[in-house]
Amino acid sequence: MTPDNIYNEMVYHHHDRSRCVKRNTFVIVTVLLSVALLLTSVGWLATTQDNEGYRNRLENMYLESYHDLLDGVNDIEISLDKLSISTTHAYQVDTLEEIHLKASMLVSSLSRLSVYDQTTSNTTKYLNQVGDYAYYLATRLTRDGDTLTPSEKSSLSSLGEVSTSIGMALREYRDSVQAGEYLLDYSTGGGYADAFDTVDSSIDYPTLIYDGPFSDSRQNKTPLGIVGDVISSEDGLSIATTLLPSRYREELSYRGEMHTLYDSYLYTTPTGDVSVNLTTTGQLISMDIPYEEGSKDLSTRDCVAIASSYLEEIGYKSMREVWCSIYYGTAYINYVYESDGVLIYPDMVKVKVSTSTGEVIGVECISYIFSHTSRDIPRATLDEEEILLSIPDMQNVSSRLCIVPDDDDEVLCYEVYGEIDEYKYFIYYDASTGMEINILKVIDSEDGELLL
Amino acid sequence: MKKIFGIVCILLCTFTTVGGAYLKETVASADTQSVVVYKYGSSGAKVKQIQTLLKNQGFYFSSVDGIYGTLTVNAVKKYQRTYGLTVDGIVGSKTASYMGISLGSSSSNSSFGSSDLYLLAKVVYAEARGEPYSGKVAVAAVVLNRVRSSSFPNTISGVVYQPYAFTAVDDGQINLSPDASAKSAAQDAINGWDPTGGCIYYYNPRTATSKWIRSRPVVTTIGNHTFCL
């Protein structure tokens, strides 16, 4: 073999080897790719089938709510029509209670539909008001023993017209629905979701003023406790700093005005952790400072003493502690205004005290700001003894006079406290009729403590 | 050779994305099965049990109040040092087994009497865990204001689970376990604290795309959230 041949042989061998490697690589890549493709397809298929199943089950839940709504709106419409011709007390009360129940069920059906909350908010408001108004009327009829007045009937029938148009729009959709159409696809509007626009545009139903939580008067009530002249934000700042421990005073600054049912100034530290909110007349709405760990371990009694002297200092006189609960090293103490030995529950102020530092870390006066005013407290026409005769068999019974909120009104009550089988109850009896206004059961007795 | 490496990389990526979807579920279910640890900020009956045990053995001298504060942390550290455990002040499965107490699963040890309060804490944690404390209370207050408003459902769960109402509920973050700060923010709101003055909406002005929400009257801004009526 010549040197030339040897060279050729080597080149040949080299080419042969590299071709071999190339072929192997090609095989490996092909196999890997096929395996990957196979796994991906299997995975994709499984996921698609799963998704299909999930989607159908979800859609069925939406459809259930949709049909509940359709039927329910129809029922309410019919009940409202019946009321307009009914003339007897018992039938009217029954029907009103039916409407109340139906409406609250429909509110939850509506809230389960797959649409943005702002789409349904007017319809929700309508249903809540129908139910609430029906409940108010049923209570009034039961109490007064009479029948619906012409003006109540006319309010009810204009509410009925709204039900008619919602129902019509929902039915129209049902009749036009195509195969493969999903309620899920109308989250931002269109399709059946347009039915909820009818409450916005087509009908203007009357403003409802009555004693109920969703009454239009309740949603726009004015704070009675705001008194005095509007002060400047700078004057507010100097009031705000006096409410805080000295270490935060320097850092506190004016953040701006807040406009809600009342106008207020907001003061915070740069991080926003410390905040004071005052009415523009300089009255405290709320104060908060961060919780810090300390070495103390204060009892309820210690915390109440700290909170009481703080309230006294910032100008809240005649406040009486009624309840204390401790969570995560924070004592929440509720105070109510006391006038002539009567507890005024609507005028409530809440104070937070850290059990480990003994510092007041929060105050909240919203209820007080809304309801505190000079009241003529009526005299109780029933004696305490008379009330105590009618109470159930309880241990450790005690009682006192108080004013409690009752819808838009306030009622003078005997607050009777007692224990049955380790459970603690508060029963509120109307001090002039002896009727039970409310019964409270203390649920988590481990966390809260009654301050009598 | 480089090319092959590249192809294999791409293949691996495909595998992990496809497999990822299945894996996620497994990991999530493993999370909920995990044992509870007791640490700074915990509270409840189990903490009382830990404190009692530490007190009986001469590690803890304060009152048995069921609140895991600094004193409890120090006592646990002392206990761990004595028994040659990792000194971290946390009662996990190892420390607990030395103490002879069972920690149980997360679901059975909620210190909340009310499930509503816990649900509220979960919303706060999911929606506002990076916010200042008053921003957390504000989110809880918005939920409660919605419950009171006639334009929304009338229960906490109705408001929380209303479709599209809260991003963190729609994307599943609601299922994370709330921390102590979220729980006390929820507690504050239930006790009547409302830094928003009655707001029923809030949004992050940097990410909100809805024109409608931007048309609402703004009341205040706390941290990253703008609160409106």
Side-chain angles (χ1 to χ4, degrees):
Chain A
M1 208 182 264
T2 57
D4 215 31
N5 278 348
I6 293 170
Y7 175 75
N8 279 342
E9 187 80 344
M10 278 166 71
V11 168
Y12 177 77
H13 273 288
H14 179 77
H15 278 176
D16 196 34
R17 217 170 42 232
S18 91
R19 203 178 299 150
C20 234
V21 169
K22 265 189 188 158
R23 200 183 313 135
N24 280 347
T25 314
F26 180 73
V27 170
I28 290 171
V29 169
T30 316
V31 167
L32 275 177
L33 266 176
S34 328
V35 168
L37 194 68
L38 193 75
L39 280 174
T40 317
S41 336
V42 167
W44 177 78
L45 206 69
T47 322
T48 315
Q49 274 178 347
D50 273 356
N51 283 349
E52 189 95 338
Y54 290 147
R55 194 181 164 97
N56 283 334
R57 281 193 290 277
L58 193 62
E59 177 68 8
N60 292 343
M61 272 154 58
Y62 292 137
L63 281 168
E64 186 191 351
S65 298
Y66 166 76
H67 284 286
D68 280 348
L69 198 65
L70 188 60
D71 292 345
V73 167
N74 199 28
D75 290 349
I76 286 185
E77 179 192 340
I78 291 167
S79 298
L80 288 167
D81 284 347
K82 287 178 181 171
L83 278 178
S84 65
I85 59 157
S86 155
T87 52
T88 58
H89 169 84
Y91 188 85
Q92 290 183 351
V93 172
D94 279 357
T95 312
L96 286 167
E97 279 169 356
E98 232 169 73
I99 293 172
H100 165 64
L101 235 136
K102 197 82 195 184
S104 61
M105 277 161 56
L106 292 189
V107 169
S108 58
S109 299
L110 188 57
S111 73
R112 278 197 282 264
L113 286 172
S114 170
V115 281
Y116 280 86
D117 46 293
Q118 59 261 35
T119 311
T120 51
S121 70
N122 282 306
T123 311
T124 306
K125 183 178 174 197
Y126 162 76
L127 289 170
N128 267 325
Q129 287 198 325
V130 170
D132 199 32
Y133 186 53
Y135 179 74
Y136 157 76
L137 289 176
T139 319
R140 187 192 77 67
L141 295 190
T142 310
R143 188 189 60 218
D144 301 346
D146 65 357
T147 52
L148 292 169
T149 65
S151 89
E152 286 164 349
K153 279 192 174 182
S154 109
S155 291
L156 287 169
S157 75
S158 41
L159 287 172
E161 286 169 30
V162 184
S163 272
T164 312
S165 46
I166 300 172
M168 261 165 52
L170 286 172
R171 265 191 299 277
E172 254 169 48
Y173 172 75
R174 183 195 58 192
D175 298 339
S176 70
V177 70
Q178 304 288 316
E181 218 175 307
Y182 285 96
L183 296 189
L184 201 55
D185 298 331
Y186 298 113
S187 59
T188 53
Y192 80 111
D194 285 345
F196 307 119
D197 286 343
T198 50
V199 184
D200 283 342
S201 47
S202 66
I203 287 170
D204 201 12
Y205 70 94
T207 304
L208 293 172
I209 309 282
Y210 57 92
D211 287 345
F214 298 133
S215 157
D216 287 320
S217 65
R218 178 61 63 89
Q219 306 266 322
N220 303 305
K221 70 176 181 179
T222 48
L224 301 170
I226 296 183
V227 288
D229 297 329
V230 171
I231 61 169
S232 69
S233 62
E234 292 81 36
D235 289 346
L237 181 62
S238 47
I239 295 175
T241 50
T242 61
L243 303 166
L244 295 174
S246 51
R247 64 180 185 282
Y248 294 123
R249 290 183 186 169
E250 286 286 299
E251 284 182 275
L252 198 72
S253 65
Y254 177 58
R255 278 284 308 280
E257 207 167 316
M258 287 165 69
H259 304 286
T260 55
L261 291 174
Y262 47 84
D263 296 331
S264 64
Y265 295 136
L266 181 65
Y267 303 92
T268 70
T269 52
T271 56
D273 284 336
V274 174
S275 68
V276 178
N277 192 202
L278 301 179
T279 64
T280 48
T281 54
Q283 291 164 276
L284 176 62
I285 296 167
S286 68
M287 178 282 267
D288 281 284
I289 64 174
Y291 175 85
E292 283 167 25
E293 192 64 29
S295 55
K296 292 181 190 162
D297 183 25
L298 301 174
S299 67
T300 306
R301 187 187 294 265
D302 300 331
C303 294
V304 170
I306 291 164
S308 299
S309 66
Y310 179 85
L311 283 182
E312 190 85 13
E313 247 170 63
I314 65 168
Y316 281 89
K317 312 285 181 203
S318 319
M319 299 302 288
R320 175 81 179 270
E321 66 277 13
V322 289
W323 183 262
C324 176
S325 45
I326 295 180
Y327 299 93
Y328 298 104
T330 303
Y332 295 83
I333 306 155
N334 293 0
Y335 284 85
V336 300
Y337 181 67
E338 190 176 15
S339 168
D340 296 330
V342 179
L343 297 177
I344 317 286
Y345 274 102
D347 298 0
M348 185 175 276
V349 171
K350 292 158 186 163
V351 183
K352 287 198 297 179
V353 177
S354 157
T355 57
S356 65
T357 61
E359 213 164 41
V360 172
I361 56 172
V363 184
E364 195 272 340
C365 310
I366 282 288
S367 314
Y368 191 93
I369 290 288
F370 267 94
S371 66
H372 184 66
T373 180
S374 61
R375 298 174 172 81
D376 291 324
I377 298 171
R379 288 204 155 276
T381 49
L382 292 174
D383 284 340
E384 200 168 343
E385 285 74 37
E386 287 176 79
I387 293 291
L388 291 176
L389 278 178
S390 65
I391 66 166
D393 189 19
M394 301 195 291
Q395 281 88 50
N396 300 324
V397 175
S398 64
S399 82
R400 54 186 174 183
L401 268 178
C402 62
I403 282 184
V404 298
D406 182 36
D407 291 331
D408 264 353
D409 236 357
E410 292 182 346
V411 188
L412 182 69
C413 283
Y414 282 106
E415 176 189 72
V416 177
Y417 168 80
E419 294 166 16
I420 300 178
D421 304 333
E422 294 172 32
Y423 290 112
K424 299 167 180 170
Y425 289 92
F426 290 93
I427 312 176
Y428 295 85
Y429 295 97
D430 188 319
S432 61
T433 63
M435 298 250 283
E436 285 167 353
I437 296 287
N438 202 355
I439 298 179
L440 302 179
K441 184 181 176 192
V442 181
I443 295 173
D444 215 347
S445 54
E446 216 181 291
D447 288 326
E449 198 173 321
L450 177 71
L451 306 168
L452 280 167
Chain B
M1 215 49 192
K2 256 188 194 160
K3 238 186 213 164
I4 300 171
F5 181 72
I7 291 171
V8 171
C9 270
I10 293 169
L11 284 179
L12 278 176
C13 287
T14 328
F15 277 124
T16 37
T17 27
V18 173
Y22 304 106
L23 263 180
K24 237 187 232 167
E25 245 168 87
T26 331
V27 173
S29 61
D31 264 354
T32 50
Q33 292 289 311
S34 68
V35 274
V36 177
V37 297
Y38 285 85
K39 53 183 187 195
Y40 181 72
S42 302
S43 73
K46 198 59 86 176
V47 177
K48 275 188 185 171
Q49 197 188 338
I50 294 168
Q51 289 172 333
T52 313
L53 192 134
L54 292 168
K55 199 165 187 167
N56 291 344
Q57 300 197 14
F59 293 97
Y60 181 70
F61 303 99
S62 187
S63 72
V64 175
D65 56 4
I67 298 162
Y68 209 123
T70 320
L71 295 177
T72 314
V73 171
N74 292 339
V76 170
K77 281 185 181 167
K78 235 187 285 172
Y79 182 93
Q80 290 170 328
R81 214 168 286 130
T82 312
Y83 288 95
L85 298 158
T86 314
V87 182
D88 56 4
I90 297 168
V91 180
S93 51
K94 189 138 192 215
T95 309
S97 70
Y98 266 77
M99 290 177 163
I101 56 177
S102 98
L103 292 178
S105 70
S106 51
S107 54
S108 61
N109 258 298
S110 156
S111 60
F112 284 91
S114 147
S115 59
D116 273 346
L117 183 58
Y118 190 66
L119 181 56
L120 196 56
K122 292 213 296 184
V123 178
V124 171
Y125 187 69
E127 285 272 318
R129 57 184 175 276
E131 297 293 314
Y133 186 71
S134 62
K136 293 177 190 171
V137 180
V139 164
V142 165
V143 173
L144 297 177
N145 290 336
R146 286 189 175 191
V147 173
R148 280 179 222 117
S149 158
S150 60
S151 305
F152 287 91
N154 306 320
T155 58
I156 289 183
S157 61
V159 166
V160 168
Y161 290 111
Q162 190 172 19
Y164 307 105
F166 297 98
T167 327
V169 176
D170 278 344
D171 69 15
Q173 291 184 64
I174 178 87
N175 295 319
L176 299 170
S177 289
D179 61 4
S181 163
K183 286 177 186 172
S184 56
Q187 185 65 52
D188 276 9
I190 290 223
N191 277 304
W193 262 259
D194 181 2
T196 73
C199 287
I200 48 174
Y201 295 101
Y202 64 87
Y203 58 92
N204 184 335
R206 271 181 303 203
T207 56
T209 48
S210 155
K211 250 189 218 149
W212 180 86
I213 194 111
R214 288 174 181 273
S215 71
R216 310 295 305 173
V218 170
V219 170
T220 185
T221 299
I222 305 172
N224 290 314
H225 288 140
T226 296
F227 293 84
C228 46
L229 291 170

